[in-house]
Amino acid sequence: MQEPSVRTSRLAIAGGLAAVIVVGGAGFVLGRGTAPAVPEPVTPVVIAPPAPAPTPKPEPPGSLDRGAIISLADRAADAFASGDPIPAAVTDAADRRFDLLLPFGCAGPSAEDSTQSMRWRYDEAKQTLRVHVAPTTWQPQAWNVDPATGIDAIEGFWIARPWSSTVACPSQAGQATARGIEAITLPGQTLAIGQFFTSTDRRNDHNFTVVRRIPAESFDASRGFRVRLTGRIARRSGGDPVRCVQPGGIEQRPICVIAASVDEVRIENAATGAILATWNQRSQSGSDGVAPPDAPSSKPSAPSPN
């Protein structure tokens, strides 16, 4: 047998290496073609958190009604009689809106020559209703108002029966009604609401009077009438919205007045809810109110105070 030469051996080795390279290259190419594709890196999207919802503003407190106003005055009277500071619940009431109802005429019509500050009469022959409401005027010294404050007059209304928060005439009033007989009023009113005026303030020095034709078959005064006052509690009585006095000494129940800025005065029929007349105190210089002779309704189209 012929021995392989050096040259032949070298050729064999070179051929083997070439075969290995070819096979390896083919395998590499085949592997790249079958391997899964590597995904390209994705930049993450940063989503900003939603802005917090705006905090809603708190709703302003509702209007003070008759019961709330009486409670306010009771707290002030208690503190005054005890020599204590006025409670925060009273001082914080300044600038609060109020809607106060003052029932009157519960015992029936007044006598023809009556001088009551709140009265009504119905002329059946002429089918005419006349309602008269007169504010009370007090001198500042009646409420111990310091002259240095510049207050020269206080005008407002007594709140009758301040021990009751009801806005209607007492149910038993009709049982003791007699036409033409004056109601018996106990002396010593204890609670009022009024406006404190300086010499430069615009005042409405007038009474509130309604003259209205109403057919007899439509007239209903079984629950009397009422004055509706709307406006804001004021801070014009020396710093506090309620001012109290005890002219009869410490054994007397305090007499208090609530300082107010009145925007509107209405006279209403308590039985039907009809608005008989309206006076805008912010824009009117003052005159008697004569309502139009239209049918009663809860919202008349144009009750005129002129």
Side-chain angles (χ1 to χ4, degrees), residues 102-236:
L102 306 176
F104 71 95
C106 300
S110 300
E112 189 172 355
D113 57 350
S114 172
T115 59
Q116 285 185 305
S117 59
M118 295 185 181
R119 60 186 186 268
W120 67 272
R121 284 186 59 78
Y122 182 70
D123 188 325
E124 295 181 357
K126 297 181 180 179
Q127 300 188 14
T128 301
L129 171 67
R130 296 178 181 272
V131 181
H132 176 85
V133 173
T136 299
T137 299
W138 300 278
Q139 294 301 314
Q141 57 267 29
W143 296 101
N144 288 344
V145 175
D146 188 346
T149 62
I151 302 297
D152 67 351
I154 303 169
E155 181 182 283
F157 299 91
W158 288 109
I159 300 177
R161 299 185 300 279
W163 52 84
S164 173
S165 62
T166 182
V167 297
C169 289
S171 58
Q172 68 269 21
Q175 301 175 6
T177 297
R179 288 178 174 251
I181 301 298
E182 292 290 340
I184 299 175
T185 303
L186 296 177
Q189 301 278 17
T190 59
L191 180 58
I193 185 166
Q195 300 189 86
F196 288 62
F197 294 106
T198 65
S199 58
T200 59
D201 287 330
R202 183 183 183 186
R203 295 176 56 185
N204 294 312
D205 295 321
H206 67 98
N207 299 326
F208 303 99
T209 303
V210 177
V211 179
R212 187 167 184 176
R213 288 180 58 84
I214 301 177
E217 62 272 15
S218 303
F219 179 67
D220 183 0
S222 59
R223 301 182 63 184
F225 297 86
R226 62 195 181 201
V227 175
R228 181 185 294 269
L229 304 177
T230 56
R232 291 186 181 276
I233 302 296
R235 197 191 297 272
R236 303 187 66 180

